[in-house]
Amino acid sequence: MRIIEQGVQHKPADTKSHLKSVEEWQEYKEEKAKSEAEKAKSEAEDSSWVINSEKKEEDFRNYSDNPRLERVRNFYRENHEKQTLEFVLKMEKKYANLGRMEMGVWEALELLDTFVDDSDPDTNLSQMQHALQTAEAVRKKYPGEEYDWYHLTGLIHDMGKFLSCVYGEEQWCVVGDTFPTGCKHSKKIEFTEFFVKNPDTKKPELQTEVGVYQKGCGLDKLHMSYGHDEYLYQVCVQNKSKLPIQALYMIRYHSFYPWHNEGEYMQFCNKTDQNMLKWVKDFNQFDLYSKSDEPPNVRNCPFTTKN
């Protein structure tokens, strides 16, 4: 039988030749898959890999030439004046026991869809959109299922901010960079000049390098300025989360910029803190450099797909 197409006569395909073509196609697919896997591994190991290529690293956390500057300065003025050791101890006690309400992860994220972080100079998007940006950025660099805990951490890391939109806490005690109370404030803290009106600065015993703590005591012994990091960490721990210790450090200390970005407060670190620092630093690139004012494409995001 002959095959006729557009007036051109064709001989039947050679079976042996056709089989060879299929085999070559299979080999091509296998080689392509191998190449893509090697590329993904290379990107994961490349410390210079950048998430948001349209914005330079130095343009993030820009507190000088920024249209959001006044909003951010007003936030940190209030934050630095009011976050005292006494206040932190009060908040730790207030939220020590959970039980106010019960909800799923997605329900909690939806509550953050109208919440904009006043301390953030890099985006005006809601915290739900930021969560999706961060999680997708993590997934792109670490696509393997063995990193599903990392993807989840990116998605939920700021979920504690519903302290403000649900429980009514003011933003100055929910968001922003964190720092230890009960000891001398580092000069590397953003807007450190606003500490001048913080009552703790008038207490000599709280103005030494170690304050009420001891060297090498461990970051977990510090009373950090209260906020969403500590709250969500307690939610995870008290609910017996199966997240690994790396994830718990990311959640608890991702806002501790004086530590993971400036190398401050190392006098308190124990061996575990030192080992976990690299993981918090790694997470920071996704939390920070994935930010933009362009909303994520929710329809195409795998985290919004329901099985």
Side-chain angles (χ1 to χ4, degrees):
M1 179 180 177
R2 291 182 301 175
I3 301 173
I4 309 298
E5 180 179 348
Q6 296 181 349
V8 179
Q9 295 183 352
H10 297 272
K11 293 182 180 180
D14 181 84
T15 304
K16 185 176 181 181
S17 175
H18 180 66
L19 182 59
K20 181 180 179 182
S21 176
V22 171
E23 290 172 343
E24 289 178 347
W25 171 244
Q26 186 62 34
E27 289 178 0
Y28 167 76
K29 289 196 297 181
E30 291 175 355
E31 286 295 323
K32 184 178 180 182
K34 182 179 179 181
S35 175
E36 289 179 346
E38 290 176 348
K39 180 181 178 182
K41 181 180 179 181
S42 176
E43 287 181 340
E45 295 174 347
D46 183 4
S47 61
S48 64
W49 182 80
V50 179
I51 298 169
N52 188 341
S53 59
E54 297 179 357
K55 192 173 180 179
K56 297 178 180 178
E57 288 188 19
E58 56 266 28
D59 292 333
F60 289 91
R61 289 176 60 85
N62 180 350
Y63 294 106
S64 56
D65 183 19
N66 193 307
R68 305 179 181 97
L69 178 60
E70 183 176 0
R71 181 190 78 186
V72 175
R73 280 182 61 85
N74 288 337
F75 164 84
Y76 275 110
R77 179 182 288 107
E78 191 168 19
N79 173 275
H80 290 357
E81 290 178 1
K82 296 180 178 180
Q83 287 272 9
T84 63
L85 176 60
E86 180 182 5
F87 172 78
V88 169
L89 293 173
K90 174 184 173 183
M91 293 297 283
E92 289 176 349
K93 182 178 180 180
K94 179 178 180 179
Y95 290 104
N97 298 316
L98 306 178
R100 289 172 174 78
M101 63 175 62
E102 183 175 330
M103 66 181 73
V105 169
W106 195 252
E107 291 177 280
L109 288 171
E110 287 181 327
L111 290 171
L112 295 176
D113 199 27
T114 59
F115 182 76
V116 177
D117 188 335
D118 285 347
S119 72
D120 197 330
D122 295 310
T123 183
N124 281 322
L125 293 183
S126 75
Q127 289 303 291
M128 178 181 179
Q129 291 170 318
H130 169 57
L132 293 173
Q133 286 178 331
T134 306
E136 180 63 0
V138 174
R139 189 187 66 82
K140 284 183 177 179
K141 186 172 180 182
Y142 296 102
E145 289 186 4
E146 67 271 26
Y147 291 108
D148 58 358
W149 63 268
Y150 207 164
H151 310 160
L152 177 61
T153 303
L155 186 67
I156 70 171
H157 75 284
D158 274 345
M159 207 163 64
K161 291 179 181 178
F162 65 66
L163 277 171
S164 183
C165 58
V166 177
Y167 296 149
E169 299 292 353
E170 295 184 67
Q171 287 209 29
W172 64 265
C173 61
V174 176
V175 302
D177 293 0
T178 57
F179 53 88
T181 61
C183 62
K184 185 177 181 180
H185 300 118
S186 167
K187 297 297 183 182
K188 297 292 182 67
I189 298 173
E190 297 292 347
F191 299 103
T192 187
E193 65 272 17
F194 293 140
F195 283 117
V196 68
K197 292 186 178 181
N198 185 303
D200 283 357
T201 61
K202 306 297 190 296
K203 301 176 181 179
E205 68 274 18
L206 303 183
Q207 292 306 303
T208 65
E209 292 298 319
V210 294
V212 298
Y213 312 108
Q214 294 180 348
K215 286 188 176 181
C217 62
L219 296 183
D220 62 324
K221 296 295 192 296
L222 304 183
H223 298 289
M224 301 293 295
S225 56
Y226 200 79
H228 67 283
D229 305 51
E230 181 63 23
Y231 176 75
L232 184 60
Y233 169 78
Q234 293 298 334
V235 169
C236 292
V237 172
Q238 293 187 41
N239 280 286
K240 295 180 171 58
S241 165
K242 294 182 180 180
L243 288 170
I245 187 173
Q246 294 93 330
L248 295 177
Y249 261 78
M250 294 171 188
I251 289 170
R252 196 176 197 182
Y253 300 115
H254 69 271
S255 299
F256 191 9
Y257 272 85
W259 175 57
H260 67 70
N261 193 53
E262 299 290 348
E264 295 290 281
Y265 298 106
M266 295 301 292
Q267 68 269 28
F268 298 122
C269 292
N270 57 28
K271 188 170 293 186
T272 303
D273 299 327
Q274 294 169 5
N275 290 336
M276 290 297 109
L277 178 56
K278 62 184 179 183
W279 283 99
V280 180
K281 282 178 172 288
D282 189 69
F283 176 73
N284 178 245
Q285 63 180 312
F286 308 116
D287 184 21
L288 180 59
Y289 301 136
S290 65
K291 293 177 182 177
S292 74
D293 282 328
E294 183 177 346
N297 189 332
V298 177
R299 179 173 295 180
N300 293 336
C301 182
F303 298 100
T304 63
T305 302
K306 296 183 179 179
N307 297 325

